[in-house]
Amino acid sequence: MPESTQSGQETDVATALYARSGAAAYGVSAEQFAVILDDIVRKNFPRDSAQSPDDAANKHDVANKDVANKRGSFCTALRLEELALARACAAGNERAWQDFVSRYRQKLHNMALHITRDAAHAAELADSLFADLYGVNARDGVRNSKLVSYTGRGSLEGWLRTVMAQEFINRYRKQKRMVSLEEQTEEGVQFAAAVPAPLSTSDLRLEAATDEALAELSAEDRFTLASYYLDRRTLAEIAQTLGLHESSVSRRLDRLSTGLRKRILAGLRMRGMSHAQAAEALETDVRDIQLNLRARLMQDSGAKTFPGNKV
């Protein structure tokens, strides 16, 4: 896909991708969109720097054709229209921003309400994220929009949901977790089971992959996740129980979250999903999964539960 020198076939593919994206409507040229795709492709298909010049020369023709095909397939699977919209918004295109507001403002507010369970806090969280997405915090006259991080590999709505959840977590971490989340948000525990919709085959594979990934964790890691995400205990409470510093617990949670995502993605790929399908499946609201997360997370960790935990 996008390279400094393209074959006629690659040029045709690039032209088709640009037409599909609708980027022209937002003032994004074919060349600018090609640069955006090129950046995304390079991050997902890094060159093998360890390969010797001789080896590179010998394998040049076959490798180039194979890589070009893979890159073309990769770009074709991207959410091109949503990518064009996001990047045009990040660049400050007013028409793009109007379309974004029309499509996602209410959805963002609903996401925030779903997370906070409080209308006032939801409005504050949604407005704060909107400011970050618009790029009001300019540096040296350059817009600094979070939307520039969207790569089109999953739905824009799913990406926004993830960014919203992370912003919510960051806000409480800045407060040094002096008060537990359950006291501040009352019913805002997202891991609590709601009445789920009937599961599809894809959902069943997600459930199995999630269960498998959680089963691989140590008892202490499962306890840490259950305490933080299910019981909404503070970092200080968890650290005291485990005999660790709060910063160590924070780093462990970050490591566990990253590791679980990788394990679940791998599990979904093993169950026949493409990478794009697996990434999309991970955007599923955890309440739509019928897996008993509490039972799995608390397995073998009963000796370390907090008083009053409802296991």
Side-chain angles (χ1 to χ4, degrees):
M1 259 312 298
E3 291 287 321
S4 56
T5 58
Q6 294 181 325
S7 67
Q9 182 180 2
E10 288 175 315
T11 301
D12 291 341
V13 172
T15 301
L17 293 175
Y18 177 68
R20 273 182 51 198
S21 72
Y26 302 127
V28 179
S29 69
E31 292 75 17
Q32 290 172 324
F33 195 67
V35 170
I36 292 172
L37 290 180
D38 189 52
D39 181 59
I40 295 171
V41 166
R42 289 178 185 277
K43 290 178 180 178
N44 288 277
F45 293 91
R47 296 187 181 278
D48 186 0
S49 58
Q51 188 172 241
S52 69
D54 290 339
D55 288 338
N58 293 334
K59 300 176 181 178
H60 178 78
D61 292 337
V62 175
N64 268 9
K65 184 176 181 180
D66 182 56
V67 170
N69 289 336
K70 288 182 178 179
R71 292 181 175 186
S73 298
F74 173 82
C75 288
T76 300
L78 295 177
R79 303 284 189 118
L80 296 173
E81 292 184 13
E82 294 174 30
L83 175 62
L85 174 63
R87 294 307 181 90
C89 285
N93 182 278
E94 286 304 317
R95 177 177 175 181
W97 183 250
Q98 289 172 7
D99 286 351
F100 181 85
V101 170
S102 175
R103 297 180 196 179
Y104 295 105
R105 187 173 190 88
Q106 186 58 48
K107 289 182 178 180
L108 277 175
H109 183 271
N110 292 342
M111 291 176 197
L113 186 60
H114 179 72
I115 292 172
T116 65
R117 303 296 186 183
D118 178 86
H121 289 149
E124 181 183 355
L125 180 61
D127 289 345
S128 175
L129 181 56
F130 249 103
D132 289 339
L133 295 173
Y134 188 73
V136 295
N137 298 318
R139 294 179 181 177
D140 300 325
V142 179
R143 297 169 64 89
N144 183 30
S145 169
K146 284 183 179 291
L147 283 166
V148 77
S149 299
Y150 175 66
T151 63
R153 297 192 65 179
S155 69
L156 181 54
E157 183 175 343
W159 181 85
L160 289 169
R161 188 184 301 116
T162 300
V163 173
M164 175 79 74
Q166 188 60 55
E167 175 65 19
F168 177 68
I169 292 172
N170 290 342
R171 283 177 170 237
Y172 281 100
R173 283 180 174 172
K174 287 179 181 179
Q175 294 177 16
K176 298 182 179 180
R177 304 298 298 277
M178 297 302 293
V179 182
S180 67
L181 284 178
E182 66 181 6
E183 292 180 53
Q184 298 185 53
T185 60
E186 296 183 355
E187 299 178 357
V189 181
Q190 291 203 53
F191 280 87
V195 179
L199 293 176
S200 64
T201 302
S202 180
D203 292 323
L204 292 174
R205 286 183 289 179
L206 177 59
E207 176 185 342
T210 302
D211 186 50
E212 181 178 87
L214 292 175
E216 293 175 359
L217 298 177
S218 68
E220 188 165 283
D221 284 345
R222 287 198 295 270
F223 165 77
T224 303
L225 289 170
S227 298
Y228 188 83
Y229 289 108
L230 299 184
D231 296 313
R232 297 299 190 182
R233 300 297 173 178
T234 66
L235 292 178
E237 289 174 326
I238 300 172
Q240 182 177 10
T241 300
L242 297 178
L244 300 172
H245 192 274
E246 289 184 41
S247 61
S248 297
V249 175
S250 178
R251 287 194 297 271
R252 175 180 291 186
L253 284 166
D254 289 339
R255 171 179 58 80
L256 289 172
S257 298
T258 301
L260 275 175
R261 180 178 177 82
K262 291 181 179 179
R263 288 192 183 98
I264 295 172
L265 274 173
L268 292 174
R269 293 295 300 276
M270 290 178 62
R271 289 168 173 80
M273 286 191 185
S274 68
H275 185 88
Q277 290 172 327
E280 184 72 11
L282 280 180
E283 296 169 2
T284 301
D285 192 309
V286 294
R287 297 174 306 165
D288 293 336
I289 304 174
Q290 289 190 345
L291 175 66
N292 190 333
L293 290 172
R294 178 177 290 280
R296 170 58 73 187
L297 285 173
M298 296 308 298
Q299 182 178 343
D300 300 327
S301 63
K304 292 182 177 180
T305 55
F306 287 91
N309 277 1
K310 298 179 181 179
V311 181

